[in-house]
Amino acid sequence: MTTRILPAVGDADAARSVTTLLSQLPDAEPAAPVGDSTQLIDTLARLAGESLDELPEVVLVHERIGPVPALELIREVALRFPAVGVVLITADASPGLFSAAMDSGARGLAALPLSYEELANRVQAASQWSVGVRRHLGAGGDVFTGPGGTVVTVTGSKGGVGATVTAVQLALAARASGNTVALVDMDLQAGDVASYLDVQFRRSIVDLAAISDISPRVLSDAVFSHTTGVALLLAPGEGERGEEVTDRAARQIVSALRSRYEVVVIDCGSQMHGANAAAIEMADIALLVTTPDVVAVRGAKRVVRMWDRLQIRKAEETVTLVNRYTRNTEIQPPLIQKITGTRMAGIAVPANFKELQGAVDAGRMHELEAKSVVKQALWGLAGELGLVKIPEGAEKSGKFRNDRGSIGGRRKRGEREGAR
């Protein structure tokens, strides 16, 4: 039987060495190496989207792969693609690292410098394990499969710019169109998602922080099923407990959610810490919310520069949303784009807090009227970001309506949308 092998090696010299050895293995079909963790996950997701049978039996992860650390990458691959056997390639063959690699989900460890015999044995063992898993994968329902959903993080340039309202409405829009949706409150010390949706809860994201293997059953016990159909994973009631959610825990939680839900919206608040930094790094879409005033725009620029320095997110990979927009303000979206270097959302949210105040004070943001221009703008943004399922025939009209309002892409010039 042919064994398909996908190497994930960032260093060019190491990649050539690994490829040369793999080409000598009997019945091996090595693929071209991928250079970083993002490319590896994207490749596996694309193959899994086609068919489980398209996935390689073995993935080799080099210890210097980045930007996600090797052990965290192995954990994510093992969680999202359980039918793939992962082998860690490392110069440190100590018992401690071996144990850590096994805990992360690796099926073997190959020591550097690589030898033909050791690599062949590790690949064969991982391949046999992979074949066995695929044979029985359909027997149980407690396994994550598939390429995973879309992860969107929503971050405020400073406090009070509307990040939580934006996150809530994006989640509601995605759910109203038929997606399975999780809304995560990762503003760990001051999260207000529960207040906006009138939720009394006992469990929070902290309950998942110490769990090394988050199964679908464990995840379902931690989330709150809201009446709208959105699954809520809330911030702890005691803000100091937010420190228990480390960046490693956040990566595992986001991976588990991505594997179970079609859309995952994460409210990251305006304060940066390891957990939400990890979420932003893993996100498919990083949304930065600002208002058109000097202080907020300076905050947006500061956030973008910090993300770039910490190698969390590049400016051009960030989408900036202007909230409380008016046409006569001195600071317009093109100026904000020039200052931050980010991409601007095609829709801006009009300034109209009066229509929000009743829903905010009552904690019933999900009952905001469909005619609300703020809701229409945010649901339109959900369509622009690709978070909604567009019904057949809706593309011709440019929008569609249902019992929760309208969702669509950018409207034609002249239509009232509260955008620039």
Side-chain angles (χ1 to χ4, degrees):
M1 186 195 78
T2 302
T3 300
R4 292 165 297 180
I5 307 168
L6 177 59
V9 186
D11 181 74
D13 292 335
R16 282 192 294 271
S17 175
V18 170
T19 303
T20 300
L21 275 179
L22 291 177
S23 65
Q24 300 173 11
L25 299 181
D27 299 322
E29 185 181 309
V34 295
D36 58 48
S37 57
T38 301
Q39 190 178 355
L40 173 62
I41 295 298
D42 289 347
T43 300
L44 293 176
R46 176 177 54 81
L47 294 173
E50 297 174 4
S51 169
L52 177 65
D53 295 332
E54 295 298 319
L55 286 169
E57 284 77 22
V58 180
V59 167
L60 302 179
V61 175
H62 194 276
E63 63 179 353
R64 291 198 298 272
I65 195 73
V68 177
L71 292 182
E72 298 299 331
L73 178 60
I74 291 172
R75 184 181 297 276
E76 183 170 0
V77 171
L79 183 63
R80 292 181 58 184
F81 312 100
V84 175
V86 186
V87 175
L88 174 64
I89 300 175
T90 176
D92 179 11
S94 65
L97 181 61
F98 180 84
S99 177
M102 296 304 104
D103 289 343
S104 297
R107 305 310 306 175
L109 185 149
L112 290 170
L114 289 175
S115 68
Y116 171 86
E117 183 175 352
E118 183 180 19
L119 184 60
N121 290 337
R122 299 295 176 265
V123 167
Q124 182 181 15
S127 175
Q128 290 175 349
W129 177 87
S130 175
V131 170
V133 169
R134 294 177 196 217
R135 187 177 298 121
H136 301 288
L137 190 57
D142 201 34
V143 179
F144 290 122
T145 58
T150 301
V151 175
V152 183
T153 56
V154 182
T155 306
S157 63
K158 69 178 189 66
V161 296
T164 300
V165 170
T166 300
V168 168
Q169 290 298 329
L170 289 179
L172 292 173
R175 179 65 192 127
S177 74
N179 286 306
T180 55
V181 180
L183 174 59
V184 185
D185 195 344
M186 211 171 275
D187 187 358
L188 298 175
Q189 293 186 343
D192 283 322
V193 168
S195 298
Y196 277 99
L197 294 175
D198 191 25
V199 171
Q200 301 295 325
F201 65 99
R202 291 182 302 167
R203 295 189 179 275
S204 71
I205 191 172
V206 172
D207 294 303
L208 296 177
I211 299 176
S212 59
D213 183 15
I214 304 176
S215 68
R217 186 174 295 114
V218 169
L219 186 61
S220 65
D221 288 341
V223 300
F224 179 92
S225 296
H226 195 259
T227 55
T228 58
V230 176
L232 305 178
L233 185 57
L234 300 167
E238 304 82 14
E240 66 274 12
R241 295 199 64 196
E243 297 180 359
E244 298 176 31
V245 185
T246 63
D247 57 342
R248 178 177 180 179
R251 290 183 188 280
Q252 186 174 355
I253 291 167
V254 172
S255 295
L257 289 165
R258 189 203 296 267
S259 300
R260 189 174 178 90
Y261 297 94
E262 293 172 288
V263 175
V264 180
V265 181
I266 305 175
D267 178 7
C268 292
S270 59
Q271 297 296 318
M272 187 58 52
H273 45 74
N276 58 24
I280 293 166
E281 183 182 4
M282 295 176 67
D284 300 289
I285 302 169
L287 189 67
L288 179 60
V289 182
T290 187
T291 48
D293 58 83
V294 172
V295 176
V297 173
R298 282 178 177 171
K301 182 179 180 180
R302 183 168 58 245
V303 169
V304 170
R305 287 186 170 181
M306 179 173 62
W307 287 358
D308 185 64
R309 289 195 305 271
L310 298 178
Q311 298 183 351
I312 295 171
R313 201 90 184 179
K314 295 180 180 178
E316 58 269 24
E317 296 174 346
T318 302
V319 179
T320 297
L321 171 69
V322 180
N323 189 23
R324 300 175 197 149
Y325 170 77
T326 58
R327 295 185 182 277
N328 58 4
T329 183
E330 293 185 8
I331 301 178
Q332 292 289 312
L335 178 59
I336 297 175
Q337 181 177 25
K338 183 177 179 180
I339 292 173
T340 61
T342 61
R343 294 187 291 116
M344 300 302 297
I347 292 175
V349 183
N352 197 337
F353 182 73
K354 178 181 285 188
E355 66 179 28
L356 290 178
Q357 189 166 4
V360 170
D361 291 344
R364 310 290 291 180
M365 184 57 63
H366 52 291
E367 296 180 357
L368 188 63
E369 293 184 4
K371 65 181 180 181
S372 161
V373 294
V374 173
K375 178 175 179 176
Q376 289 175 5
L378 289 172
W379 285 41
L381 175 66
E384 179 185 323
L385 298 178
L387 305 183
V388 300
K389 294 178 179 178
I390 306 298
E392 187 176 352
E395 293 180 356
K396 295 181 180 180
S397 64
K399 60 180 180 178
F400 71 86
R401 296 189 66 84
N402 58 24
D403 63 342
R404 292 189 178 278
S406 62
I407 303 175
R410 294 184 64 180
R411 302 184 182 184
K412 295 179 181 179
R413 184 175 297 176
E415 291 183 357
R416 183 182 179 186
E417 62 177 358
R420 52 188 173 91

